[in-house]
Amino acid sequence: EATFKELLQSLTQPGTAAATGPGILGLAYREGDQVKLNPARPVLQDLDQIPSPYRFGDAAELKNRIVYYESSRGCPYSCQYCLSSLEKSVRYFSLERVKKDLLGLMDQGAETIKFVDRTFNCHPARAREIFSFLIDNTPKMRPVRYHFEIGAALLDEATLQLLEQAPPGLFEFEIGVQSTNEATLAAVKRKADWHRLKPAVQRLAKPQNIHLHLDLIAGLPQETYSSFRRSFNAVFSL
């Protein structure tokens, strides 16, 4: 965001367009037939500096719509098939900012809010506070649905107990399993523990109040037809 803003400011100031490239961190540009790469811009640590995109324009534009929302950036994992692994740290919008945004989206009539945090519950206490906030504040007369990408093996007892109390249909969880083949998981540098994930999914499924969506990836390194079939059967059995 900062690089793009500086680029636009430079282009709109008379007489500076020709010198736009060299002084802006994070920018790639052409100089004749050559492509120039400026030094990378350090990642923004205080995400609250970024204005919320959900507080502009006509509120009716979001009514009955699906809204993509991120409460954090980055991922703690290094899965080799995922672009998110290129960013090595996790940074968070403040809980105050997140709650304000979410209340605004509820008021604007959003039908589904899909959290695109790469592993929403990598900070369990923070995830639990947001889950609790949504349970307590979602309008009862016009329910909103919330979708999360979570790591099931990271769910602790306090979070599981809270989720058992969630109203039916309020939450949807997408859980990345990808494979149960240990050689495959090692090859793609994915930290996964099927023996922790399995009972957590079984616990989530028992109350039947949360829609669960489990992912597998066919064709990863070291995966064979037989090993993928075992993964499929193991996940399907849940």
Side-chain angles (χ1 to χ4, degrees), residues 172-229:
E172 297 178 348
F173 287 167
E174 182 175 348
I175 299 169
V177 179
Q178 321 315 7
S179 177
T180 63
N181 183 23
E182 292 185 2
T184 295
L185 296 174
V188 297
K189 298 183 180 180
R190 178 170 178 80
K191 293 182 179 179
D193 187 343
W194 174 251
H195 299 293
R196 292 184 62 187
L197 186 149
K198 179 179 178 180
V201 171
Q202 291 172 324
R203 179 86 173 267
L204 286 172
K206 188 174 182 180
Q208 297 187 342
N209 61 333
I210 297 174
H211 178 78
L212 302 179
H213 176 114
L214 274 64
D215 291 335
L216 290 170
I217 299 178
L220 291 174
Q222 306 300 321
E223 195 80 89
T224 65
Y225 183 84
S226 295
S227 69
F228 185 78
R229 179 171 57 188

Side-chain angles (χ1 to χ4, degrees), residues 126-142:
R126 187 176 191 277
R128 193 161 55 245
E129 182 165 349
I130 294 175
F131 287 145
S132 181
F133 176 81
L134 296 174
I135 291 172
D136 293 341
N137 288 278
T138 297
K140 300 298 186 290
M141 299 303 294
R142 193 197 58 76

Side-chain angles (χ1 to χ4, degrees), residues 43 73-77 83-89 91 118:
V43 295
R73 292 187 178 179
C75 183
Y77 300 111
L83 285 173
S84 295
S85 67
L86 299 177
E87 194 171 346
K88 300 303 181 184
S89 62
R91 294 161 292 134
R118 289 72 179 167

Side-chain angles (χ1 to χ4, degrees), residues 10-40:
S10 178
L11 290 173
T12 54
Q13 293 171 1
T16 63
T20 293
I24 299 178
L25 295 178
L27 195 69
Y29 63 99
R30 291 187 183 277
E31 192 173 88
D33 292 334
Q34 291 186 314
V35 174
K36 302 286 188 176
L37 298 178
N38 287 351

